[in-house]
Amino acid sequence: MLVFMIIIIINYEPSDGGDGFARKTHRILMKPKPYSLPLLNRYFCVQSPSLMAQTPACLDAEQPHDDHHHRHLGFPARSLSGESRAERAWAHWAKLGRPRLIVAPMVDNSELPFRMLCRKYGAQGAYTPMLHSRIFSETEKYRNEEFTTCKEDRPLFVQFCANDPDVLLEAARKRIAKRGNYGAFLMDNLPLVKSLVEKLAVNLQVPVSCKIRLFPNLEDTLKYARMLEEAGCMLLAVHGRTRDEKDGKKFRADWKSIRAVKNAVRIPVLANGNIRHMDDVRDCLEETEVEGVLSAETLLENPALFAGFRTAEWVSESEGTNVDGKLDQADLLIEYLKLCEKYPVPWRMIRSHVHKLLGGWFSLQPHIREELNKQSKLTFEFLYDMVDRLRDTGTRIPLYKETRAELTSDSYSD
């Protein structure tokens, strides 16, 4: 079975008007309260670890959605010349606010409370975890539990997987990897990838964007990127590793290849890989000349990365001065848990974040980790108490703050 992923980017609240597609999408995804998902319009995204088509569904609440407006934006994408598509792509990128610091998609880990925590500490955009397009289309419970958002959660990339263009389109309108053969494994079937992007570009009143990995051969990667642009992709995120390079600490992302992709297409490009602290952000933007960067694994241990904080592991790499930032991972966990109380998510996601954030602490206090692992059902009371007991042991692993003002998230806002 071949599976493909789609992402929707949300930026603005909906107007009262809109076409039938927009109204239908809004009805489906506004449940349950308080998670209000604005209607999706204006950008669609699809992804496979080699291709992720995304749809920034950013709808300007003050802009009417009439036929003239759609003609002005050049819908559908495939009816435009290459130059016109590129112009529209840049116009929509500007509408998103040109986010440069972005939370990458992470299975079961980039859910609403975690996204909001990262946004508090400098993230300017974020991806949801992967959603199964068929189940999303068919099951209200799945939609309600697995995908939540709020008006502050903008711009937002909503990630879907699918193995059929029609199923993908239906999920888009409504708003692990190798075994299912999705993600980067679609690199073996490029005609299908192209058909998936074209299906959305032709049938949706929103632009399509994609996220890819590298082929071992650079020229194959460049052909792939150009194919996606020709198929209707209007925003391309590039993970600078091949699909076989799973270990991010073992395999460094190839920024030179990302820059080659940037030079090969006319649409906005994002870079994914090697973003561990703000020095990496600066270096990546300079070397690749892309519009923005994505970070994943490092954010799980340090959601405050984009605010200039770094773990002790990366202090020695700093070119500036680092001091105790008066913030640690236990502090961040408490903030995350409070967000989970406000925006409920499945406990499996919460449990995962507890282990990621407190991994270093648990290595010093393994008996507390063992007590956590014995809990078949978690409660907030237990988790808050667990953090108190960790602190009572005198254990503290601080995050360090860079003192160079130019490396704060504000430096990367347009």
Side-chain angles (χ1 to χ4, degrees), residues 86-354:
E87 290 176 354
R88 196 183 76 163
W90 285 101
H92 283 284
W93 179 244
K95 277 289 186 181
L96 288 178
R98 301 184 180 91
R100 306 200 95 182
L101 309 175
I102 301 169
V103 181
M106 294 174 278
V107 175
D108 275 356
N109 281 150
S110 53
E111 80 290 352
L112 176 59
F114 186 73
R115 295 195 303 268
M116 295 304 293
L117 180 63
C118 293
R119 289 180 191 276
K120 176 182 176 180
Y121 288 97
Q124 299 165 346
Y127 288 73
T128 69
M130 183 187 70
L131 301 170
H132 193 291
S133 60
R134 179 184 58 79
I135 301 175
F136 186 87
S137 298
E138 296 175 354
T139 310
E140 182 177 11
K141 180 180 179 181
Y142 180 84
R143 293 193 294 271
N144 293 342
E145 291 183 354
E146 301 297 324
F147 174 42
T148 58
T149 187
C150 62
K151 65 181 181 179
E152 296 83 12
D153 188 26
R154 303 291 184 272
L156 174 64
F157 296 69
V158 186
Q159 181 184 28
F160 289 92
C161 73
N163 66 347
D164 179 276
D166 293 325
V167 171
L168 180 59
L169 179 62
E170 178 64 18
R173 282 177 167 165
K174 289 190 173 180
R175 202 349 120 194
I176 22 194
K178 186 172 184 179
R179 181 177 59 185
N181 197 20
Y182 60 74
F185 293 92
L186 280 178
M187 295 171 78
D188 294 330
N189 193 339
L190 296 189
L192 174 59
V193 171
K194 184 177 182 180
S195 70
L196 289 163
V197 177
E198 288 180 333
K199 183 77 171 183
L200 296 181
V202 169
N203 289 281
L204 293 176
Q205 298 297 323
V206 288
V208 176
S209 69
C210 306
K211 183 175 183 292
I212 68 173
R213 277 183 178 256
L214 303 176
F215 280 95
N217 181 281
L218 177 59
E219 188 56 38
D220 290 339
T221 302
L222 300 183
K223 290 179 181 177
Y224 186 27
R226 294 188 190 104
M227 179 199 78
L228 295 174
E229 182 179 24
E230 174 62 25
C233 171
M234 294 201 173
L235 173 65
L236 184 62
V238 184
H239 189 149
R241 300 181 179 91
T242 69
R243 69 183 184 187
D244 295 324
E245 294 174 336
K246 302 289 194 304
D247 189 338
K249 293 185 178 180
K250 181 179 179 181
F251 298 101
R252 295 284 291 164
D254 185 351
W255 288 350
K256 288 184 173 60
S257 291
I258 295 177
R259 179 166 183 167
V261 172
K262 167 66 180 173
N263 293 335
V265 298
R266 294 174 289 185
I267 57 179
V269 175
L270 306 176
N272 186 189
N274 298 355
I275 304 300
R276 304 158 302 177
H277 42 68
M278 292 302 287
D279 284 339
D280 286 339
V281 171
R282 179 201 61 195
D283 294 344
C284 183
L285 291 172
E286 289 181 356
E287 184 169 334
T288 64
E289 297 186 343
V290 296
E291 280 58 62
V293 301
L294 283 68
S295 183
E297 290 297 322
T298 302
L299 282 174
L300 294 178
E301 297 180 8
N302 176 21
L305 182 162
F306 291 137
F309 291 89
R310 65 176 72 197
T311 60
E313 179 181 7
W314 305 117
V315 167
S316 62
E317 289 195 357
S318 176
E319 299 175 8
T321 301
N322 287 269
V323 298
D324 186 333
K326 309 302 180 185
L327 180 72
D328 59 41
Q329 288 144 314
D331 298 327
L332 293 172
L333 177 59
I334 293 297
E335 291 188 59
Y336 169 73
L337 294 176
K338 290 180 179 178
L339 286 166
C340 289
E341 291 188 271
K342 182 177 181 180
Y343 305 113
V345 293
W347 280 104
R348 72 177 189 278
M349 297 181 182
I350 298 175
R351 186 185 291 269
S352 175
H353 284 295
V354 172

Side-chain angles (χ1 to χ4, degrees), residues 332-401:
L332 293 172
L333 177 59
I334 293 297
E335 291 188 59
Y336 169 73
L337 294 176
K338 290 180 179 178
L339 286 166
C340 289
E341 291 188 271
K342 182 177 181 180
Y343 305 113
V345 293
W347 280 104
R348 72 177 189 278
M349 297 181 182
I350 298 175
R351 186 185 291 269
S352 175
H353 284 295
V354 172
H355 281 282
K356 291 287 187 180
L357 282 169
L358 299 185
W361 303 55
F362 286 151
S363 65
L364 299 176
Q365 305 293 336
H367 65 286
I368 296 181
R369 177 180 57 206
E370 290 172 5
E371 291 179 24
L372 170 65
N373 291 338
K374 290 178 182 178
Q375 305 300 311
S376 58
K377 291 185 178 181
L378 291 178
T379 65
F380 288 110
E381 181 181 9
F382 172 85
L383 292 175
Y384 287 129
D385 180 67
M386 181 193 71
V387 173
D388 288 339
R389 286 188 289 121
L390 274 176
R391 287 171 167 165
D392 288 343
T393 65
T395 302
R396 183 172 182 270
I397 304 178
L399 294 172
Y400 294 87
K401 179 72 171 179

